[in-house]
Amino acid sequence: MKRLYSLLSCLLLCLCCTVQAKNKVIEQPPFIVSNTTSIEVSQIDISDTATVVHIYAKYRPKNWIKIASGSYLKDNNGETYQLRSGIGITPDKEFWMPESGEAEFQLVFPPLPDSVTSVDFTEGADIENGFSIWGIQVKGKKLPKLMLPKEAIIHKADAKAELPEPVIGYGKAILKGKLLDFYPGMPTPITLVAWESAKGDLSENQIDIQSDGSFSKEVPLTNSTPCSIYISGSKPLQILWNRDKPPKYTSTCAKFPAANPSSIKTRSLMEKSSM
């Protein structure tokens, strides 16, 4: 009888270990980039029956947000997983924020294969101003190493370098660059704002981004011109642009804005503690 109890105990222990092995919890998973600060993924539960994505939302009190029923996850292998249901939220219906402006709910998707290392969450390209979070890591707490293009040259800042003597005269300048970690569906285009002191005027140009994140724009200038480059919701990148004949090229590589910012939930707690 004692031996039977021992065998049963071992069997139960093995079953418990198997269940734990199939249920994985990732808290505060890092991500590459998001197009919103209204929602974030606070936790992902992965089992052999479902993938549950925990969402923390922060939005204007007594206003609503909505999650489209067509939302899905897309893994690093290109497979998609359609939203099954919501817990604490009904897809396609207004979710009204409480007085605090903070809320939590869960989204249920099909199970992920063990080979998956990251997923993208999106409401779909047909949803205007839809939420999207790219590169959510499900295998670890580190983001993939950022790889610069082979042709990229890193220039060290020269504290002794002097700005060129400004000369007024018409010419053209070409800005060429690439956004690293760019995914189709991210906010576009890039806005280029040039302060032309000779004219005493600001000129604004839109730069289309190609599917691989590359972009190019030729702009007529009258002299050396300070410029700002930004995408909606991002901090501007400042450059000094020279016009030339033939056109002079300025190239840049930049990481897409809002890449894995500090948790909005953490920021909210910090804001409360400082009040």
PDB file of all heavy atoms in Angstrom, residues 62-90:
ATOM      1  N   LYS A  62     -14.312  58.863 -18.274  1.00  0.00           N
ATOM      2  CA  LYS A  62     -15.672  58.979 -18.819  1.00  0.00           C
ATOM      3  C   LYS A  62     -15.699  59.098 -20.345  1.00  0.00           C
ATOM      4  O   LYS A  62     -16.694  59.548 -20.921  1.00  0.00           O
ATOM      5  CB  LYS A  62     -16.416  60.157 -18.170  1.00  0.00           C
ATOM      6  CG  LYS A  62     -16.593  60.012 -16.666  1.00  0.00           C
ATOM      7  CD  LYS A  62     -17.408  61.158 -16.088  1.00  0.00           C
ATOM      8  CE  LYS A  62     -17.610  60.980 -14.587  1.00  0.00           C
ATOM      9  NZ  LYS A  62     -18.418  62.061 -13.993  1.00  0.00           N
ATOM     10  N   ASN A  63     -14.596  58.705 -20.999  1.00  0.00           N
ATOM     11  CA  ASN A  63     -14.568  58.572 -22.450  1.00  0.00           C
ATOM     12  C   ASN A  63     -14.353  57.097 -22.762  1.00  0.00           C
ATOM     13  O   ASN A  63     -13.952  56.320 -21.895  1.00  0.00           O
ATOM     14  CB  ASN A  63     -13.451  59.421 -23.056  1.00  0.00           C
ATOM     15  CG  ASN A  63     -13.834  60.883 -23.157  1.00  0.00           C
ATOM     16  OD1 ASN A  63     -14.289  61.355 -24.181  1.00  0.00           O
ATOM     17  ND2 ASN A  63     -13.663  61.609 -22.056  1.00  0.00           N
ATOM     18  N   TRP A  64     -14.595  56.707 -24.001  1.00  0.00           N
ATOM     19  CA  TRP A  64     -14.515  55.287 -24.316  1.00  0.00           C
ATOM     20  C   TRP A  64     -13.396  54.956 -25.303  1.00  0.00           C
ATOM     21  O   TRP A  64     -12.942  55.788 -26.072  1.00  0.00           O
ATOM     22  CB  TRP A  64     -15.853  54.775 -24.860  1.00  0.00           C
ATOM     23  CG  TRP A  64     -16.353  55.471 -26.110  1.00  0.00           C
ATOM     24  CD1 TRP A  64     -17.238  56.501 -26.170  1.00  0.00           C
ATOM     25  CD2 TRP A  64     -16.015  55.165 -27.468  1.00  0.00           C
ATOM     26  NE1 TRP A  64     -17.475  56.876 -27.472  1.00  0.00           N
ATOM     27  CE2 TRP A  64     -16.744  56.061 -28.287  1.00  0.00           C
ATOM     28  CE3 TRP A  64     -15.192  54.227 -28.074  1.00  0.00           C
ATOM     29  CZ2 TRP A  64     -16.643  56.043 -29.681  1.00  0.00           C
ATOM     30  CZ3 TRP A  64     -15.092  54.201 -29.463  1.00  0.00           C
ATOM     31  CH2 TRP A  64     -15.822  55.115 -30.242  1.00  0.00           C
ATOM     32  N   ILE A  65     -12.965  53.713 -25.200  1.00  0.00           N
ATOM     33  CA  ILE A  65     -12.079  53.125 -26.207  1.00  0.00           C
ATOM     34  C   ILE A  65     -12.792  51.880 -26.729  1.00  0.00           C
ATOM     35  O   ILE A  65     -13.810  51.448 -26.168  1.00  0.00           O
ATOM     36  CB  ILE A  65     -10.699  52.743 -25.630  1.00  0.00           C
ATOM     37  CG1 ILE A  65     -10.847  51.711 -24.506  1.00  0.00           C
ATOM     38  CG2 ILE A  65      -9.959  53.981 -25.133  1.00  0.00           C
ATOM     39  CD1 ILE A  65      -9.499  51.181 -24.003  1.00  0.00           C
ATOM     40  N   LYS A  66     -12.269  51.305 -27.792  1.00  0.00           N
ATOM     41  CA  LYS A  66     -12.913  50.135 -28.378  1.00  0.00           C
ATOM     42  C   LYS A  66     -11.844  49.201 -28.948  1.00  0.00           C
ATOM     43  O   LYS A  66     -10.831  49.656 -29.473  1.00  0.00           O
ATOM     44  CB  LYS A  66     -13.876  50.575 -29.488  1.00  0.00           C
ATOM     45  CG  LYS A  66     -14.728  49.457 -30.081  1.00  0.00           C
ATOM     46  CD  LYS A  66     -15.498  49.931 -31.307  1.00  0.00           C
ATOM     47  CE  LYS A  66     -16.559  50.958 -30.951  1.00  0.00           C
ATOM     48  NZ  LYS A  66     -17.408  51.315 -32.124  1.00  0.00           N
ATOM     49  N   ILE A  67     -12.079  47.897 -28.834  1.00  0.00           N
ATOM     50  CA  ILE A  67     -11.206  46.894 -29.439  1.00  0.00           C
ATOM     51  C   ILE A  67     -11.998  46.186 -30.534  1.00  0.00           C
ATOM     52  O   ILE A  67     -13.081  45.634 -30.275  1.00  0.00           O
ATOM     53  CB  ILE A  67     -10.710  45.863 -28.400  1.00  0.00           C
ATOM     54  CG1 ILE A  67      -9.866  46.546 -27.315  1.00  0.00           C
ATOM     55  CG2 ILE A  67      -9.909  44.750 -29.085  1.00  0.00           C
ATOM     56  CD1 ILE A  67      -8.555  47.123 -27.795  1.00  0.00           C
ATOM     57  N   ALA A  68     -11.485  46.208 -31.738  1.00  0.00           N
ATOM     58  CA  ALA A  68     -12.189  45.614 -32.877  1.00  0.00           C
ATOM     59  C   ALA A  68     -12.215  44.090 -32.773  1.00  0.00           C
ATOM     60  O   ALA A  68     -11.236  43.466 -32.343  1.00  0.00           O
ATOM     61  CB  ALA A  68     -11.520  46.035 -34.179  1.00  0.00           C
ATOM     62  N   SER A  69     -13.337  43.500 -33.178  1.00  0.00           N
ATOM     63  CA  SER A  69     -13.466  42.042 -33.149  1.00  0.00           C
ATOM     64  C   SER A  69     -12.526  41.384 -34.160  1.00  0.00           C
ATOM     65  O   SER A  69     -12.212  40.202 -34.042  1.00  0.00           O
ATOM     66  CB  SER A  69     -14.913  41.629 -33.442  1.00  0.00           C
ATOM     67  OG  SER A  69     -15.321  42.103 -34.722  1.00  0.00           O
ATOM     68  N   GLY A  70     -12.070  42.153 -35.131  1.00  0.00           N
ATOM     69  CA  GLY A  70     -11.138  41.614 -36.126  1.00  0.00           C
ATOM     70  C   GLY A  70      -9.688  41.683 -35.696  1.00  0.00           C
ATOM     71  O   GLY A  70      -8.785  41.398 -36.489  1.00  0.00           O
ATOM     72  N   SER A  71      -9.429  42.069 -34.439  1.00  0.00           N
ATOM     73  CA  SER A  71      -8.051  42.153 -33.935  1.00  0.00           C
ATOM     74  C   SER A  71      -7.387  40.772 -33.994  1.00  0.00           C
ATOM     75  O   SER A  71      -8.051  39.734 -33.880  1.00  0.00           O
ATOM     76  CB  SER A  71      -8.040  42.663 -32.490  1.00  0.00           C
ATOM     77  OG  SER A  71      -8.621  43.940 -32.397  1.00  0.00           O
ATOM     78  N   TYR A  72      -6.073  40.783 -34.135  1.00  0.00           N
ATOM     79  CA  TYR A  72      -5.355  39.504 -34.198  1.00  0.00           C
ATOM     80  C   TYR A  72      -3.913  39.672 -33.759  1.00  0.00           C
ATOM     81  O   TYR A  72      -3.383  40.791 -33.684  1.00  0.00           O
ATOM     82  CB  TYR A  72      -5.407  38.925 -35.618  1.00  0.00           C
ATOM     83  CG  TYR A  72      -4.766  39.792 -36.685  1.00  0.00           C
ATOM     84  CD1 TYR A  72      -3.410  39.680 -37.005  1.00  0.00           C
ATOM     85  CD2 TYR A  72      -5.529  40.736 -37.388  1.00  0.00           C
ATOM     86  CE1 TYR A  72      -2.828  40.478 -37.981  1.00  0.00           C
ATOM     87  CE2 TYR A  72      -4.963  41.532 -38.373  1.00  0.00           C
ATOM     88  CZ  TYR A  72      -3.608  41.392 -38.672  1.00  0.00           C
ATOM     89  OH  TYR A  72      -3.034  42.188 -39.634  1.00  0.00           O
ATOM     90  N   LEU A  73      -3.282  38.548 -33.462  1.00  0.00           N
ATOM     91  CA  LEU A  73      -1.844  38.476 -33.218  1.00  0.00           C
ATOM     92  C   LEU A  73      -1.185  37.915 -34.465  1.00  0.00           C
ATOM     93  O   LEU A  73      -1.748  37.043 -35.129  1.00  0.00           O
ATOM     94  CB  LEU A  73      -1.529  37.561 -32.025  1.00  0.00           C
ATOM     95  CG  LEU A  73      -2.101  37.944 -30.649  1.00  0.00           C
ATOM     96  CD1 LEU A  73      -1.717  36.878 -29.627  1.00  0.00           C
ATOM     97  CD2 LEU A  73      -1.612  39.313 -30.209  1.00  0.00           C
ATOM     98  N   LYS A  74      -0.001  38.413 -34.758  1.00  0.00           N
ATOM     99  CA  LYS A  74       0.796  37.869 -35.871  1.00  0.00           C
ATOM    100  C   LYS A  74       2.166  37.523 -35.324  1.00  0.00           C
ATOM    101  O   LYS A  74       2.845  38.382 -34.751  1.00  0.00           O
ATOM    102  CB  LYS A  74       0.915  38.893 -37.000  1.00  0.00           C
ATOM    103  CG  LYS A  74       1.667  38.363 -38.224  1.00  0.00           C
ATOM    104  CD  LYS A  74       1.665  39.392 -39.341  1.00  0.00           C
ATOM    105  CE  LYS A  74       2.395  38.855 -40.575  1.00  0.00           C
ATOM    106  NZ  LYS A  74       2.394  39.845 -41.666  1.00  0.00           N
ATOM    107  N   ASP A  75       2.579  36.249 -35.465  1.00  0.00           N
ATOM    108  CA  ASP A  75       3.849  35.850 -34.866  1.00  0.00           C
ATOM    109  C   ASP A  75       5.026  36.091 -35.802  1.00  0.00           C
ATOM    110  O   ASP A  75       4.855  36.512 -36.951  1.00  0.00           O
ATOM    111  CB  ASP A  75       3.794  34.392 -34.383  1.00  0.00           C
ATOM    112  CG  ASP A  75       3.737  33.378 -35.533  1.00  0.00           C
ATOM    113  OD1 ASP A  75       4.165  33.684 -36.656  1.00  0.00           O
ATOM    114  OD2 ASP A  75       3.268  32.240 -35.288  1.00  0.00           O
ATOM    115  N   ASN A  76       6.233  35.843 -35.303  1.00  0.00           N
ATOM    116  CA  ASN A  76       7.449  36.109 -36.070  1.00  0.00           C
ATOM    117  C   ASN A  76       7.603  35.177 -37.272  1.00  0.00           C
ATOM    118  O   ASN A  76       8.453  35.401 -38.135  1.00  0.00           O
ATOM    119  CB  ASN A  76       8.685  35.978 -35.170  1.00  0.00           C
ATOM    120  CG  ASN A  76       8.744  34.652 -34.460  1.00  0.00           C
ATOM    121  OD1 ASN A  76       7.938  34.380 -33.569  1.00  0.00           O
ATOM    122  ND2 ASN A  76       9.701  33.814 -34.833  1.00  0.00           N
ATOM    123  N   ASN A  77       6.764  34.158 -37.356  1.00  0.00           N
ATOM    124  CA  ASN A  77       6.787  33.252 -38.512  1.00  0.00           C
ATOM    125  C   ASN A  77       5.728  33.608 -39.551  1.00  0.00           C
ATOM    126  O   ASN A  77       5.597  32.932 -40.564  1.00  0.00           O
ATOM    127  CB  ASN A  77       6.573  31.805 -38.042  1.00  0.00           C
ATOM    128  CG  ASN A  77       7.659  31.352 -37.075  1.00  0.00           C
ATOM    129  OD1 ASN A  77       8.840  31.559 -37.315  1.00  0.00           O
ATOM    130  ND2 ASN A  77       7.254  30.744 -35.960  1.00  0.00           N
ATOM    131  N   GLY A  78       4.956  34.678 -39.272  1.00  0.00           N
ATOM    132  CA  GLY A  78       3.942  35.127 -40.226  1.00  0.00           C
ATOM    133  C   GLY A  78       2.563  34.548 -40.013  1.00  0.00           C
ATOM    134  O   GLY A  78       1.624  34.893 -40.745  1.00  0.00           O
ATOM    135  N   GLU A  79       2.387  33.664 -39.008  1.00  0.00           N
ATOM    136  CA  GLU A  79       1.074  33.078 -38.733  1.00  0.00           C
ATOM    137  C   GLU A  79       0.219  34.061 -37.933  1.00  0.00           C
ATOM    138  O   GLU A  79       0.725  34.814 -37.104  1.00  0.00           O
ATOM    139  CB  GLU A  79       1.220  31.776 -37.944  1.00  0.00           C
ATOM    140  CG  GLU A  79       1.940  30.670 -38.702  1.00  0.00           C
ATOM    141  CD  GLU A  79       1.164  30.186 -39.915  1.00  0.00           C
ATOM    142  OE1 GLU A  79      -0.091  30.134 -39.842  1.00  0.00           O
ATOM    143  OE2 GLU A  79       1.800  29.886 -40.942  1.00  0.00           O
ATOM    144  N   THR A  80      -1.094  34.048 -38.182  1.00  0.00           N
ATOM    145  CA  THR A  80      -1.999  34.958 -37.475  1.00  0.00           C
ATOM    146  C   THR A  80      -2.947  34.177 -36.558  1.00  0.00           C
ATOM    147  O   THR A  80      -3.278  33.016 -36.818  1.00  0.00           O
ATOM    148  CB  THR A  80      -2.832  35.801 -38.459  1.00  0.00           C
ATOM    149  OG1 THR A  80      -3.569  34.929 -39.326  1.00  0.00           O
ATOM    150  CG2 THR A  80      -1.921  36.690 -39.303  1.00  0.00           C
ATOM    151  N   TYR A  81      -3.394  34.848 -35.487  1.00  0.00           N
ATOM    152  CA  TYR A  81      -4.259  34.245 -34.479  1.00  0.00           C
ATOM    153  C   TYR A  81      -5.389  35.230 -34.175  1.00  0.00           C
ATOM    154  O   TYR A  81      -5.158  36.276 -33.581  1.00  0.00           O
ATOM    155  CB  TYR A  81      -3.455  33.918 -33.211  1.00  0.00           C
ATOM    156  CG  TYR A  81      -2.192  33.127 -33.497  1.00  0.00           C
ATOM    157  CD1 TYR A  81      -1.014  33.782 -33.886  1.00  0.00           C
ATOM    158  CD2 TYR A  81      -2.187  31.738 -33.419  1.00  0.00           C
ATOM    159  CE1 TYR A  81       0.136  33.069 -34.185  1.00  0.00           C
ATOM    160  CE2 TYR A  81      -1.032  31.010 -33.712  1.00  0.00           C
ATOM    161  CZ  TYR A  81       0.121  31.681 -34.099  1.00  0.00           C
ATOM    162  OH  TYR A  81       1.263  30.976 -34.403  1.00  0.00           O
ATOM    163  N   GLN A  82      -6.590  34.890 -34.640  1.00  0.00           N
ATOM    164  CA  GLN A  82      -7.730  35.789 -34.556  1.00  0.00           C
ATOM    165  C   GLN A  82      -8.260  35.905 -33.125  1.00  0.00           C
ATOM    166  O   GLN A  82      -8.254  34.924 -32.366  1.00  0.00           O
ATOM    167  CB  GLN A  82      -8.851  35.281 -35.464  1.00  0.00           C
ATOM    168  CG  GLN A  82      -9.893  36.328 -35.825  1.00  0.00           C
ATOM    169  CD  GLN A  82      -9.337  37.412 -36.732  1.00  0.00           C
ATOM    170  OE1 GLN A  82      -8.468  37.173 -37.552  1.00  0.00           O
ATOM    171  NE2 GLN A  82      -9.850  38.635 -36.562  1.00  0.00           N
ATOM    172  N   LEU A  83      -8.699  37.093 -32.760  1.00  0.00           N
ATOM    173  CA  LEU A  83      -9.286  37.317 -31.443  1.00  0.00           C
ATOM    174  C   LEU A  83     -10.512  36.429 -31.265  1.00  0.00           C
ATOM    175  O   LEU A  83     -11.413  36.405 -32.098  1.00  0.00           O
ATOM    176  CB  LEU A  83      -9.679  38.791 -31.297  1.00  0.00           C
ATOM    177  CG  LEU A  83     -10.390  39.196 -29.996  1.00  0.00           C
ATOM    178  CD1 LEU A  83      -9.468  39.006 -28.793  1.00  0.00           C
ATOM    179  CD2 LEU A  83     -10.871  40.644 -30.088  1.00  0.00           C
ATOM    180  N   ARG A  84     -10.530  35.687 -30.146  1.00  0.00           N
ATOM    181  CA  ARG A  84     -11.674  34.822 -29.847  1.00  0.00           C
ATOM    182  C   ARG A  84     -12.734  35.552 -29.031  1.00  0.00           C
ATOM    183  O   ARG A  84     -13.931  35.488 -29.329  1.00  0.00           O
ATOM    184  CB  ARG A  84     -11.208  33.595 -29.055  1.00  0.00           C
ATOM    185  CG  ARG A  84     -10.465  32.551 -29.861  1.00  0.00           C
ATOM    186  CD  ARG A  84     -10.017  31.430 -28.920  1.00  0.00           C
ATOM    187  NE  ARG A  84      -9.420  30.306 -29.633  1.00  0.00           N
ATOM    188  CZ  ARG A  84      -8.859  29.263 -29.015  1.00  0.00           C
ATOM    189  NH1 ARG A  84      -8.817  29.234 -27.690  1.00  0.00           N
ATOM    190  NH2 ARG A  84      -8.339  28.274 -29.719  1.00  0.00           N
ATOM    191  N   SER A  85     -12.285  36.233 -27.979  1.00  0.00           N
ATOM    192  CA  SER A  85     -13.237  36.886 -27.072  1.00  0.00           C
ATOM    193  C   SER A  85     -12.502  37.871 -26.181  1.00  0.00           C
ATOM    194  O   SER A  85     -11.267  37.946 -26.196  1.00  0.00           O
ATOM    195  CB  SER A  85     -13.949  35.843 -26.209  1.00  0.00           C
ATOM    196  OG  SER A  85     -13.019  35.138 -25.402  1.00  0.00           O
ATOM    197  N   GLY A  86     -13.272  38.602 -25.393  1.00  0.00           N
ATOM    198  CA  GLY A  86     -12.699  39.517 -24.418  1.00  0.00           C
ATOM    199  C   GLY A  86     -13.174  39.151 -23.024  1.00  0.00           C
ATOM    200  O   GLY A  86     -14.261  38.602 -22.856  1.00  0.00           O
ATOM    201  N   ILE A  87     -12.362  39.441 -22.036  1.00  0.00           N
ATOM    202  CA  ILE A  87     -12.734  39.260 -20.633  1.00  0.00           C
ATOM    203  C   ILE A  87     -12.699  40.646 -19.989  1.00  0.00           C
ATOM    204  O   ILE A  87     -11.647  41.266 -19.895  1.00  0.00           O
ATOM    205  CB  ILE A  87     -11.773  38.307 -19.900  1.00  0.00           C
ATOM    206  CG1 ILE A  87     -11.767  36.928 -20.579  1.00  0.00           C
ATOM    207  CG2 ILE A  87     -12.150  38.175 -18.432  1.00  0.00           C
ATOM    208  CD1 ILE A  87     -10.733  35.973 -20.017  1.00  0.00           C
ATOM    209  N   GLY A  88     -13.863  41.130 -19.579  1.00  0.00           N
ATOM    210  CA  GLY A  88     -13.938  42.486 -19.036  1.00  0.00           C
ATOM    211  C   GLY A  88     -14.160  43.532 -20.104  1.00  0.00           C
ATOM    212  O   GLY A  88     -14.249  44.721 -19.795  1.00  0.00           O
ATOM    213  N   ILE A  89     -14.257  43.109 -21.358  1.00  0.00           N
ATOM    214  CA  ILE A  89     -14.521  44.012 -22.481  1.00  0.00           C
ATOM    215  C   ILE A  89     -15.228  43.216 -23.572  1.00  0.00           C
ATOM    216  O   ILE A  89     -14.967  42.014 -23.746  1.00  0.00           O
ATOM    217  CB  ILE A  89     -13.224  44.646 -23.030  1.00  0.00           C
ATOM    218  CG1 ILE A  89     -13.541  45.759 -24.044  1.00  0.00           C
ATOM    219  CG2 ILE A  89     -12.310  43.588 -23.640  1.00  0.00           C
ATOM    220  CD1 ILE A  89     -12.318  46.561 -24.472  1.00  0.00           C
ATOM    221  N   THR A  90     -16.137  43.850 -24.291  1.00  0.00           N
ATOM    222  CA  THR A  90     -16.824  43.208 -25.414  1.00  0.00           C
ATOM    223  C   THR A  90     -16.309  43.818 -26.719  1.00  0.00           C
ATOM    224  O   THR A  90     -16.446  45.032 -26.923  1.00  0.00           O
ATOM    225  CB  THR A  90     -18.351  43.424 -25.325  1.00  0.00           C
ATOM    226  OG1 THR A  90     -18.823  42.903 -24.079  1.00  0.00           O
ATOM    227  CG2 THR A  90     -19.054  42.726 -26.470  1.00  0.00           C
TER     228      THR A  90
END
